[in-house]
Amino acid sequence: MIISQNIDLKRFNSFCISAKVRNMITINDDKLITQALSSIDLEELIILGGGSNTLFTKDIYENILFINTSGIEIIKEDKHNAWVKINAGENWDYVVEWALDRDLGGIENLSLIPGKVGAAPIQNIGAYGSEIKDLLEEVQAIEIKSCQKKTFSNAECQFSYRNSIFKEKKNQYIILSITIKLSRNKHKINSSYQDIKAEISKNNISKPSIRDISNLVKKIRRQKLPNPDKLANAGSFFKNPILCSSSFEAVHKLYPDIPHFYLDESNVKISAAWLIEQCQWKGKSINGASVHNRQALVIVNNGNASGRNILELSQKIKKTVIDKFNIKLEEEINIL
Ligand code: EPU
């Protein structure tokens, strides 16, 4: 356990925002979490993983617990599957590569997602037709209030689009590790997402493997999304709104081009990027914060924006989307 005081959080968040934190406790071993929890005021606790989904808008006077535990282990296997337990501080994309190197499939569509494993179930990470909920078996966590360990089954995690019990009950649990079930069939792929289908046919791949899918996902991501190592950002800033079918029909009548996807008979997901683009935000900058010129859902820090500058831009975007479409965008990222 390492305790650091008055440090700048700039290298701990992918927006590269400078913010001071009074007390940061780095945990490299699960066994030290209880000790750390007993030494601080639990009302004043923020848990930080990779910082790839967080916007700091002020200095932090609470304690930050930075989870940095590593370890990936196959805990069970049979002819068809391997059950892999991964500690919360592992880098997500490192885990994807680890699995691909062993011909273990199921997470290849989630290639290049920034962040750490502990955040994956909190916001049910998803991309290109897959979500972590599709292969997650268990989450091992610690309840902050009682310091007791608890295992959550997939159903108990209450997953939905970019949401889970851990997001709903914010700051009640610390995720220690997750267990996922991977497939040993390297040709069992998910090519349901239109962009992937198009790339498979464009590249004439007759029997795509999980490695092919990962490579295509990386290619698509690199075309559309800014690399956070080069241009500071936190991926999608907002969630795609889900409308009930009657509200959707009303918008669709006025805007027949709106990209949409029926989740079931009564719910329709629409593209937030499209809404933002229609409000002429794509590529626009205010005070060092910009709407990315290739993906309108991503706000980038051009180098000198503060957290407040980014927040102000996001609020302006929300206002114009409400004014034009009467649709309220919800943030995907955590604002602190
Ligand atoms: N579109 C636009 N303008 C844009 C970008 C997209 O009109 O600037 C429209 C297009 O019609 C496009 C559709 O939106 O066909 C969907 O675009 P895209 O495939 O890029 O997906 P998205 O809905 O914008 C979501 C996730 C991303 C994930 C991609 C791919 C959310 C909030 N975002 O974006 O996740 O990578 O799908 O699956 O669900 C993230 O969470 O940080 C993230 C990047």
Side-chain angles (χ1 to χ4, degrees):
M1 180 162 78
I2 304 162
I3 302 178
S4 329
Q5 268 148 0
N6 291 322
I7 58 161
D8 189 349
L9 288 164
K10 192 166 179 164
R11 66 187 179 90
F12 293 97
N13 72 97
S14 63
F15 266 126
C16 284
I17 298 296
S18 272
K20 281 254 160 58
V21 58
R22 202 154 51 180
N23 229 2
M24 178 148 135
I25 306 170
T26 301
I27 299 288
N28 293 316
D29 182 343
D30 280 357
K31 293 189 198 83
L32 297 172
I33 290 188
T34 353
Q35 192 188 327
L37 292 181
S38 62
S39 65
I40 51 177
D41 181 354
L42 299 182
E43 298 295 313
E44 298 204 339
L45 178 65
I46 290 171
I47 301 143
L48 186 66
S52 58
N53 216 36
T54 301
L55 176 65
F56 292 111
T57 58
K58 54 179 170 21
D59 288 341
I60 304 293
Y61 292 96
E62 293 90 345
N63 296 291
I64 286 191
L65 208 59
F66 175 53
I67 307 294
N68 203 28
T69 50
S70 58
I72 310 177
E73 189 192 354
I74 296 180
I75 53 167
K76 184 171 116 182
E77 52 192 325
D78 62 21
K79 219 164 71 189
H80 305 292
N81 297 102
W83 284 257
V84 182
K85 186 173 177 181
I86 314 149
N87 279 335
E90 283 287 354
N91 173 282
W92 173 260
D93 194 49
Y94 174 80
V95 176
V96 175
E97 290 301 317
W98 180 96
L100 288 168
D101 287 346
R102 286 158 185 79
D103 282 342
L104 294 174
I107 48 178
E108 56 284 349
N109 295 47
L110 307 178
S111 293
L112 282 190
I113 294 185
K116 295 196 176 209
V117 165
I122 297 177
Q123 49 158 354
N124 182 22
I125 55 166
Y128 304 102
S130 293
E131 289 180 320
I132 185 90
K133 77 166 170 54
D134 305 335
L135 38 105
L136 192 130
E137 293 278 296
E138 276 180 7
V139 171
Q140 295 80 32
I142 195 159
E143 190 189 30
I144 295 175
K145 196 172 58 183
S146 64
C147 277
Q148 294 296 310
K149 279 194 183 171
K150 181 171 162 49
T151 299
F152 292 80
S153 66
N154 184 307
E156 284 169 332
C157 293
Q158 296 175 22
F159 289 123
S160 58
Y161 169 59
R162 292 295 199 272
N163 205 5
S164 72
I165 189 167
F166 309 108
K167 197 158 178 182
E168 290 289 321
K169 298 192 167 181
K170 224 173 161 186
N171 270 358
Q172 288 193 27
Y173 297 99
I174 299 172
I175 291 174
L176 302 176
S177 58
I178 66 171
T179 303
I180 53 177
K181 182 180 168 188
L182 298 178
S183 163
R184 290 202 174 281
N185 179 351
K186 66 176 178 182
H187 290 290
K188 189 175 168 203
I189 57 149
N190 172 0
S191 57
S192 58
Y193 207 81
Q194 190 47 45
D195 291 1
I196 296 189
K197 268 194 206 127
E199 283 291 332
I200 291 175
S201 96
K202 199 170 110 191
N203 292 283
N204 287 319
I205 306 174
S206 57
K207 197 179 179 203
S209 67
I210 52 175
R211 179 64 77 178
D212 292 323
I213 298 294
S214 170
N215 288 337
L216 296 179
V217 165
K218 288 177 189 167
K219 185 174 163 199
I220 299 164
R221 285 187 76 98
R222 285 182 178 129
Q223 279 163 1
K224 287 192 174 179
L225 294 167
N227 177 349
D229 293 336
K230 300 203 171 117
L231 193 53
N233 76 90
S236 301
F237 197 96
F238 300 103
K239 293 192 222 176
N240 286 320
I242 296 173
L243 305 185
C244 66
S245 40
S246 57
S247 306
F248 170 70
E249 290 311 333
V251 183
H252 196 207
K253 228 180 188 167
L254 292 172
Y255 303 98
D257 295 339
I258 190 164
H260 61 279
F261 174 72
Y262 274 88
L263 299 177
D264 52 45
E265 271 171 25
S266 41
N267 292 294
V268 189
K269 194 195 264 185
I270 57 172
S271 164
W274 186 87
L275 298 174
I276 296 167
E277 199 177 335
Q278 298 308 301
C279 294
Q280 315 302 325
W281 280 109
K282 208 168 187 173
K284 284 229 174 101
S285 297
I286 302 180
N287 294 328
S290 305
V291 177
H292 188 53
N293 54 11
R294 275 177 280 134
Q295 219 318 351
L297 203 44
V298 178
I299 298 183
V300 303
N301 174 5
N302 293 319
N304 53 3
S306 65
R308 289 220 64 86
N309 292 149
I310 291 173
L311 183 65
E312 278 158 20
L313 174 59
S314 74
Q315 288 166 339
K316 288 194 165 81
I317 294 170
K318 276 176 91 164
K319 181 167 185 319
T320 52
V321 170
I322 287 206
D323 290 349
K324 188 171 168 79
F325 297 100
N326 200 22
I327 293 174
K328 187 166 186 268
L329 292 179
E330 260 181 54
E331 289 78 11
E332 198 214 277
I333 64 151
N334 300 313
I335 297 173
L336 289 175

